[in-house]
Amino acid sequence: MSFAADSLDRRTFITFCATMAATLALPESYVPAIAKALQSAKRPVLVWLAFSDCAGCTESFLRASNPTVSDLILNTLSINYHETLMAASGEDAEALLSRTVGDDRGRYIAVVEGAIPTKDNGVYCTIGGRSAIDIAREVCSNAAAVITVGACAFFGGWPASRPNPTGAVGLQDALRGLKVINLPGCPPNAVNITATLVHFLTFGEMPDTDAQSRPLFAYGTQIHDSCERRAHYDAGEFVDAWGDEAHRKGWCLYKMGCKGPGTYHNCASVRWNDGTSWPIGAGHGCIGCSEAGFWDENTPFYRRLPDVPGFGVQTTANEVGLGIVAVTATAVAVHGVISIVRDRLHPEPVDPPPPSAGKS
Amino acid sequence: MTRIAIDPVTRIEGHLRIEATVEGGKVADAWSSSTMFRGMEIVLRKRDPRDAWLFAQRICGVCTTVHALASVRAVEDAVGSNPPLNARLIRDVIAGTQYVQDHVIHFYHLHAFDWVDVASATKADPAAASRLAQSISAWPKSSPGYFQEIRDKIAAIVNSGQPGLFANGYWGHPAYRLSPEANLVLVAHYLEALDWQREIVRVQAILGGKNPHPQTYLVGGMAIPIDPDSQAALNFARLDEERTILESAKTFVEQVYLPDAVLVASHYPEWFGYGAGHKTYMAYGDFPQPSGDVSSYRFARGIVRYPNEAGVDAFDPAKISEYVTRSWYAYPDERVGLHPSRGETNPTYTGPQPPFEFLNVNDKYSWLKAPRYDGEVMEVGPLARLLVSYAAGRPDIKNVLDGALRTLKLQRADLSSTLGRVVARALETQLMSGWLLEWHDELVANVANGDLAVHDGSRWEPSSWPAECEGWGSHEAPRGSLGHWVRIESGAIANYQAVMPTTWNASPRDARGMRGPYEAALLGTPVADPQRPLEILRTVHSFDPCMACAVHVLDPDGGLVVRVEDDAW
């Protein structure tokens, strides 16, 4: 591919490959393999579907910096369909999607953003006159790999929060049995989207995941365990009011409702927007946006997490995390109980699930 | 007569469908339909009002700050909270960077391909492109070698058999008018802007931890602590970093975006004659000076109705009402509109079952309601803001606008057009990139004076609130006037609703059959080839549609007529 040769000088390209290796927790010896995979003659084909979404995941994807977003979306990949970015409109746009599903069957990557409304025959989200579930079924069932981006495609997101007026669900509930990899977050971090794509392009398979199909490199560590304010938690140093001295000094936000304990995400280590900052670093608690059901389970957001016995100086973060899990039903992937599932690609296209697969 | 449907309208946020009839090479009639909704207002009911901004922010990830701001303003208005000066300035800086990033992205990534032929750019002479670029701007990336590299790169993609995002554009369409060299300059800047936008939003990450969806608003202030002596707070080193980014953004706007907008505008003069619509413009106004008084707003509040473009009529929020005559909702009497705080929602989808080819546009045809002001259709957005502020006598806006009209040899009335919206958006980006530095410097000066306050804690605890209260929060979002309404009872949200800029602009017909602004603007738009309706996209995109913002909610209880609720998105 033209990636390295045309648009990036060699050093930049190798730096990028090394960054990806580090993000994926791979040894440096993998850098040549990554470089080789990204220089194939035919660019890997990607289609990006947006359903009941806010485009925040698309915007986050556009923050990719290494490689630069322009290289990623024009030189590294062939993005054959993305409503927000593509030149074509209307029937000419839909024709590109049909053509990809036909011509590249079993070879393209499908990315899904947004929830899928299943109530009332899907009239709450139609594109080109077709319902979201109808499009998702056709496109995802014939993909080489399916990646969900964001909370909505993971579990339905806020459209699925109480009382879920449109019967919104995430992709894996809409199309039961479909193998997906989930990159939750509201939005997910561009670094993690890029790294997942690079892993797939390099190794031909998705990275290792937890029981919720979230890659371990990005969702394997509790925010609370990697938080720069952790020492203050252990020392019993807490913020009591917004703007107080403790807040200015960067003490622990637990009492202000932080959901860092019980949330698995690499925000603290990779940070956001080229490493500029992250929510806790900017003084606001974590809302737990990478966990299923967080809009219901973690609200009110400013209420501190349930007390656990011995909370405070003596308690370890894992004990706090387990205490939360006991009351939240949805957060199943904690240390010690992670079921590591090795995702395998579909070597062959699968038959579309029957129409009744949609859950309302 | 040819009937066409454009669905999806791409290069927008969300899901928009345009149906039109074309007769004699022109749009004879048009219908604007939103084909998605999610139900935010229903979801917010019974929740903690302090959480509302985090939910409402997720109405839209493109306008990722605007609903957060309108939401905290609405709750603050209800509970009587007063954010300190630092918090207000931080909000202004975040909102201002949103304008600059959003407008630049709109011009290059959502709108440019309506004017710029990518295939033509591959035939450009790099030396001539370089001369053109240097004749319109001092931007340093303008050498023949640079344009040759870009041309070859684009040609490689377009001719690779894998054109990706460039596939199936209307390349070669007779309505494209730019030279290959102008096309190449604009495509080069498309690529530069794609990488540039990452940089300006770092301001939101400094102040709010991340973008999209910065996580820093609070009812009563902001969550970013300020302390010159702390590395865990906004300190002078961080503020210096912020200023550097803002200065660089201003340079990009002045040396790339503005000259490019003028370049496009000067090659399509006839497009100052298409796309006018109703010529009634409304702005809530925003960006108060420290006094906070409405008369101090940088963007003035009011209404301008042509042909009286010199006069500003007063705006009264009580005169907003919404109609559902042609929307998939039911009112007991659909001849009347209802104020957002007294609306009703009875979703009644009567459209065709998917998959479908055409909507029944003679009946109900959209998930958008039709907001009207005193029964009149109103356009909102950059053009409306500038025309209202101009008529209200804001000197900085008058200067910028008069200068642009001289450069383009236009009258103010010509701005009521497709390209008028494009020019207005660029001009307000220029203004905003300057105001940002002023707000930043005010913040630095205030901190240097020892004021570190970021939050009014006196109304944080629900026990400090009245048992029942109501509030309105407004914001001039990049796409136009935005309002959130909240009612709080016993510390929980009893009712929440919002009327979005795109709801005003993309609305369907109302009880009187009056077309919404998109629909009216499309009348008479030339269409050379109904199979390739490039010209329709020009006018629709000139409004910068944001459908996720626009769609109204539904009431899951269906038939019951209940007070308030609904409408919104």
Side-chain angles (χ1 to χ4, degrees):
Chain A
M1 146 184 70
S2 54
F3 184 177
D6 283 4
S7 52
L8 288 175
D9 66 37
R10 189 73 193 164
R11 183 182 299 176
T12 309
F13 177 64
I14 295 302
T15 302
F16 157 65
C17 296
T19 305
M20 285 296 106
T23 305
L24 290 162
L26 295 168
E28 208 179 319
S29 56
Y30 278 87
V31 170
I34 293 174
K36 182 162 179 267
L38 296 180
Q39 291 174 290
S40 63
K42 187 170 189 254
R43 282 175 287 134
V45 173
L46 183 146
V47 297
W48 183 296
L49 306 175
F51 298 125
S52 289
D53 73 314
C54 79
C57 301
T58 286
E59 285 278 350
S60 194
F61 181 52
L62 294 181
R63 306 296 182 263
S65 57
N66 212 343
T68 62
V69 50
S70 61
D71 268 312
L72 183 65
I73 69 172
L74 291 169
N75 291 349
T76 310
L77 301 165
S78 178
I79 300 186
N80 287 10
Y81 186 88
H82 190 311
E83 280 185 71
T84 313
L85 299 170
M86 66 196 303
S89 250
E91 287 176 9
D92 292 314
E94 296 310 280
L96 290 168
L97 186 59
S98 307
R99 195 188 303 164
T100 301
V101 171
D103 294 354
D104 292 303
R105 182 176 296 254
R107 290 194 298 269
Y108 60 87
I109 300 168
V111 176
V112 176
E113 172 178 10
I116 298 182
T118 57
K119 206 169 157 185
D120 298 334
N121 198 29
V123 298
Y124 304 114
C125 179
T126 66
I127 299 156
R130 296 174 70 190
S131 65
I133 180 102
D134 186 21
I135 298 167
R137 183 179 295 125
E138 184 197 356
V139 175
C140 296
S141 301
N142 292 296
V146 180
I147 300 171
T148 75
V149 288
C152 297
F154 177 44
F155 70 91
W158 71 255
S161 64
R162 282 192 294 268
N164 192 354
T166 62
V169 297
L171 184 68
Q172 55 194 356
D173 286 328
L175 298 175
R176 290 294 176 89
L178 182 76
K179 189 176 275 288
V180 303
I181 191 154
N182 292 313
L183 302 180
C186 196
N189 195 324
V191 175
N192 295 331
I193 302 174
T194 310
T196 301
L197 289 170
V198 166
H199 190 286
F200 178 74
L201 301 180
T202 304
F203 302 108
E205 63 180 24
M206 287 297 180
D208 288 348
T209 68
D210 66 10
Q212 299 180 82
S213 300
R214 302 180 298 184
L216 289 170
F217 79 85
Y219 305 91
T221 303
Q222 192 169 218
I223 293 251
H224 190 57
D225 288 349
S226 47
C227 181
E228 65 221 20
R229 302 188 177 200
R230 175 58 183 271
H232 295 294
Y233 173 88
D234 292 337
E237 294 174 339
F238 298 102
V239 176
D240 285 308
W242 303 111
D244 71 3
E245 189 183 355
H247 192 215
R248 298 200 305 273
K249 285 180 170 172
W251 287 8
C252 178
L253 291 159
Y254 170 82
K255 288 185 175 178
M256 308 308 283
C258 182
K259 305 299 185 285
T263 299
Y264 288 78
H265 213 167
N266 59 353
C267 302
S269 53
V270 303
R271 301 159 78 90
W272 286 77
N273 303 94
D274 282 342
T276 301
S277 189
W278 68 299
I280 290 174
H284 192 286
C286 167
I287 61 170
C289 70
S290 55
E291 299 301 323
F294 78 96
W295 291 109
D296 289 325
E297 306 295 340
N298 283 352
T299 49
F301 288 122
Y302 298 100
R303 187 179 64 190
R304 77 174 71 173
L305 285 166
D307 286 335
V308 290
F311 159 71
V313 198
Q314 316 92 322
T315 310
T316 71
N318 286 348
E319 285 172 288
V320 173
L322 288 166
I324 295 147
V325 167
V327 299
T328 62
T330 52
V332 296
V334 289
H335 284 282
V337 296
I338 294 172
S339 164
I340 297 176
V341 178
R342 182 103 183 150
D343 257 17
R344 296 290 174 198
L345 293 174
H346 306 297
E348 299 297 329
V350 299
D351 290 331
S356 59
K359 191 185 95 172
S360 58
Chain B
M1 185 145 74
T2 311
R3 185 173 180 189
I4 60 172
I6 308 177
D7 181 3
V9 173
T10 56
R11 286 180 281 120
I12 63 162
E13 195 299 317
H15 305 295
L16 170 67
R17 176 185 180 94
I18 296 289
E19 293 197 11
T21 52
V22 178
E23 198 168 12
K26 288 183 173 165
V27 173
D29 209 343
W31 296 267
S32 162
S33 172
S34 161
T35 63
M36 177 198 77
F37 72 13
R38 295 166 292 176
M40 174 64 81
E41 182 271 345
I42 303 294
V43 161
L44 276 173
R45 222 177 288 159
K46 299 178 187 167
R47 295 186 188 266
D48 187 329
R50 295 171 299 181
D51 286 353
W53 76 264
L54 282 150
F55 281 83
Q57 179 176 44
R58 270 72 178 185
I59 291 168
C60 184
V62 174
C63 341
T64 175
T65 62
V66 309
H67 296 291
L69 179 55
S71 179
V72 291
R73 282 178 171 174
V75 177
E76 285 160 359
D77 184 43
V79 305
S81 183
N82 290 302
L85 178 61
N86 287 334
R88 284 184 278 141
L89 289 167
I90 290 169
R91 289 177 181 183
D92 285 346
V93 171
I94 292 177
T97 52
Q98 186 65 32
Y99 267 74
V100 176
Q101 189 255 5
D102 209 357
H103 285 352
V104 169
I105 282 209
H106 174 263
F107 180 76
Y108 288 104
H109 307 117
L110 305 184
H111 201 15
F113 291 163
D114 300 339
W115 313 101
V116 174
D117 184 336
V118 173
S120 157
T122 65
K123 301 181 183 77
D125 170 9
S130 169
R131 285 194 297 277
L132 170 65
Q134 291 175 6
S135 73
I136 61 173
S137 170
W139 186 243
K141 294 178 88 169
S142 63
S143 69
Y146 173 69
F147 285 113
Q148 178 157 351
E149 185 192 327
I150 298 292
R151 187 197 66 181
D152 294 348
K153 175 174 172 171
I154 295 300
I157 295 170
V158 171
N159 301 324
S160 66
Q162 288 191 289
L165 294 171
F166 298 144
N168 278 11
Y170 296 138
W171 318 133
H173 192 288
Y176 284 120
R177 198 70 56 70
L178 296 173
S179 67
E181 287 71 31
N183 283 320
L184 179 58
V185 169
L186 286 155
V187 170
H189 294 164
Y190 170 100
L191 298 175
E192 287 182 44
L194 203 47
D195 291 326
W196 167 86
Q197 52 86 25
R198 278 187 357 248
E199 195 53 26
I200 171 130
V201 299
R202 289 182 57 238
V203 169
Q204 295 185 4
I206 289 171
L207 299 173
K210 69 183 169 97
N211 166 287
H213 297 331
Q215 196 156 307
T216 188
Y217 295 85
L218 295 170
V219 167
M222 298 299 275
I224 176 85
I226 299 175
D227 190 337
D229 298 321
S230 172
Q231 288 187 42
L234 189 61
N235 54 34
F236 290 121
R238 278 304 233 186
L239 286 164
D240 279 351
E241 187 183 357
E242 178 177 296
R243 198 176 206 287
T244 304
I245 299 170
L246 293 175
E247 286 168 0
S248 147
K250 185 166 184 286
T251 303
F252 189 88
V253 168
E254 289 172 347
Q255 297 192 3
V256 183
Y257 177 22
L258 271 175
D260 285 356
V262 171
L263 179 66
V264 167
S266 57
H267 281 76
Y268 291 98
E270 72 276 22
W271 283 87
F272 287 100
Y274 302 130
H278 293 285
K279 297 194 185 187
T280 44
Y281 301 99
M282 180 179 76
Y284 297 163
D286 206 348
F287 300 104
Q289 305 299 299
S291 69
D293 180 63
V294 173
S295 64
S296 78
Y297 285 7
R298 300 254 183 169
F299 286 131
R301 171 176 290 186
I303 287 168
V304 166
R305 297 172 170 89
Y306 273 77
N308 179 29
E309 76 266 30
V312 182
D313 297 324
F315 164 80
D316 176 1
K319 291 184 176 174
I320 298 172
S321 60
E322 296 196 287
Y323 294 82
V324 298
T325 325
R326 308 297 290 278
S327 316
W328 287 314
Y329 305 87
Y331 280 176
D333 181 354
E334 296 187 1
R335 291 168 300 181
V336 298
L338 298 173
H339 189 266
S341 66
R342 299 291 180 266
E344 299 174 4
T345 297
N346 295 301
T348 50
Y349 183 79
T350 55
Q353 289 298 309
F356 57 83
E357 194 177 353
F358 287 104
L359 294 169
N360 180 5
V361 293
N362 296 317
D363 192 5
K364 295 169 181 276
Y365 60 89
S366 180
W367 282 118
L368 296 195
K369 289 185 177 179
R372 298 292 185 257
Y373 181 82
D374 211 8
E376 271 184 290
V377 182
M378 288 289 157
E379 176 177 336
V380 299
L383 176 61
R385 271 193 289 268
L386 292 204
L387 292 176
V388 169
S389 291
Y390 188 105
R394 295 289 188 276
D396 46 358
I397 290 169
K398 197 168 179 303
N399 286 342
V400 163
L401 201 53
D402 283 337
L405 292 175
R406 275 195 303 275
T407 303
L408 292 165
K409 300 185 176 59
L410 297 171
Q411 304 300 311
R412 191 156 30 124
D414 298 327
L415 293 173
S416 293
S417 62
T418 298
L419 271 183
R421 293 184 194 97
V422 176
V423 169
R425 190 172 290 111
L427 294 179
E428 79 168 10
T429 312
Q430 180 190 9
L431 286 162
M432 192 59 80
S433 65
W435 294 348
L436 270 166
L437 290 170
E438 293 179 39
W439 296 327
H440 170 91
D441 291 347
E442 279 180 56
L443 175 64
V444 170
N446 198 47
V447 172
N449 282 336
D451 181 358
L452 305 184
V454 292
H455 187 245
D456 168 16
S458 68
R459 296 287 187 277
W460 177 248
E461 292 301 330
S463 57
S464 66
W465 303 344
E468 296 183 14
C469 51
E470 285 185 347
W472 180 49
S474 73
H475 175 40
E476 277 299 326
R479 287 168 181 76
S481 303
L482 167 67
H484 284 214
W485 285 259
V486 66
R487 176 168 175 80
I488 299 167
E489 292 174 6
S490 307
I493 294 172
N495 181 40
Y496 198 98
Q497 46 225 299
V499 180
M500 320 298 188
T502 299
T503 318
W504 287 97
N505 288 340
S507 67
R509 286 153 168 77
D510 57 30
R512 293 191 294 152
M514 294 289 286
R515 294 176 183 84
Y518 288 8
E519 298 173 334
L522 282 170
L523 297 183
T525 293
V527 179
D529 176 2
Q531 298 301 312
R532 291 156 45 101
L534 173 63
E535 303 92 334
I536 290 179
L537 293 181
R538 286 181 177 169
T539 293
V540 171
H541 280 151
S542 74
F543 286 92
D544 193 2
C546 192
M547 305 313 292
C549 279
V551 181
H552 287 235
V553 300
L554 82 164
D555 182 338
D557 299 323
L560 282 177
V561 173
V562 288
R563 188 180 153 260
V564 277
E565 338 303 12
D566 79 277
D567 90 291
W569 49 97

